Each structure stands twice: as structure tokens, then as C-alpha cells.
Amino acid sequence: MIEWDEVRELALAMPEATEAVSRGLPHWRVRDRGFVWERPLRKADLAFLHLDDQPWPVLGARVEDEAVKFALAEMDPTVFFTTPHFEGFPAILVRLDTVSRRRLEEVVADAWLAVAPKRLADEWYAQQGD
């Protein structure tokens, strides 16, 4: 299972990423735009998912758009899901107990790219080719 320290490591490895606290939980940002965050399930989420309590840690991650969110949830529902709280918002929820490290790296990078300024993202892409 992925631990929060691993999420922190991956998030802070992205250019200009910072860590903040929002509602007492870690939230990683690039130039004041959140890209991944710890997202405990709320009572309404638990009811929607037909769960009695929070069975696993959940990461919220920005995505490019809702089409990407729905594609991820359909492609691998054991890792990705959404709730009505996120209707109309480009973010996916990620189960840290089932996501692989490699897939989490992709999720974090894609989330960062979804909110990073274009010039900064272009610089990051150029460095990936080195």
C-alpha cells in the first residue's frame, strides 16, 4: 500500500510544488493551484459508495477534464472512483491501497500538468526528454 510519505515525495518532486494544509490535511500545490490532496471520505461519500466507514486512504487528484475522470474510473474501478461531490469538477479519487507506485507517479504528474502554468509545464516536458 502506498503511504502518505510516498505521495508527499512524488508531489514535491514536481517543479515549484509546495505543501500546504487545508482542513487539517496535506494538499500539494503549484503556484497556488492544488493538484493532489488527502481526501477522506465524507458521510455522503460513504453512503453513495455503500460503505459503513472509511476502508482505505484516498487521494484526490486533478485531471484535465471530466472525460479523463470518467475514463479512469471506467478503466480501473479498483483504483479510481468519484462521488457526487465531484460532479462537474475535474478531479478523480484514488485508492492508495490498490494503486501501484508507477501508476501513482503518473497520476501525480498528470495532476500537476492539469494545473501548472503552460510555460512551466513545457519546461518540465523538455527536461523529461533529457
Side-chain angles (χ1 to χ4, degrees):
M1 180 168 82
I2 300 293
E3 301 291 334
W4 287 110
D5 285 343
E6 293 174 85
V7 174
R8 176 177 288 111
E9 173 191 328
L10 293 172
L12 292 176
M14 300 307 297
E16 297 188 28
T18 59
E19 182 173 340
V21 175
S22 177
R23 298 182 176 150
L25 300 168
H27 188 117
W28 294 275
R29 307 171 72 78
V30 57
R31 295 194 186 169
D32 283 333
R33 298 193 69 198
F35 63 99
V36 291
W37 59 96
E38 183 176 350
R39 176 45 165 80
L41 298 175
R42 298 175 180 159
K43 287 182 183 182
D45 300 328
L46 293 170
F48 174 77
L49 297 168
H50 306 288
L51 299 170
D52 293 328
D53 59 9
Q54 172 112 15
W56 10 259
V58 177
L59 176 74
R62 287 294 298 264
V63 292
E64 187 176 341
D65 56 38
E66 283 207 283
V68 172
K69 170 173 66 178
F70 294 125
L72 286 169
E74 185 175 317
M75 177 184 69
D76 194 350
T78 64
V79 173
F80 301 104
F81 66 104
T82 190
T83 65
H85 177 79
F86 289 96
E87 187 174 324
F89 186 70
I92 191 74
L93 298 174
V94 183
R95 289 181 54 168
L96 292 185
D97 67 327
T98 59
V99 70
S100 70
R101 169 78 185 211
R102 181 171 179 244
R103 187 68 176 122
L104 182 61
E105 291 171 1
E106 294 170 358
V107 167
V108 170
D110 289 347
W112 182 87
L113 287 165
V115 300
K118 183 179 179 343
R119 182 175 297 157
L120 188 58
D122 289 345
E123 290 171 8
W124 181 82
Y125 272 124
Q127 290 175 354
Q128 299 310 298
D130 294 344

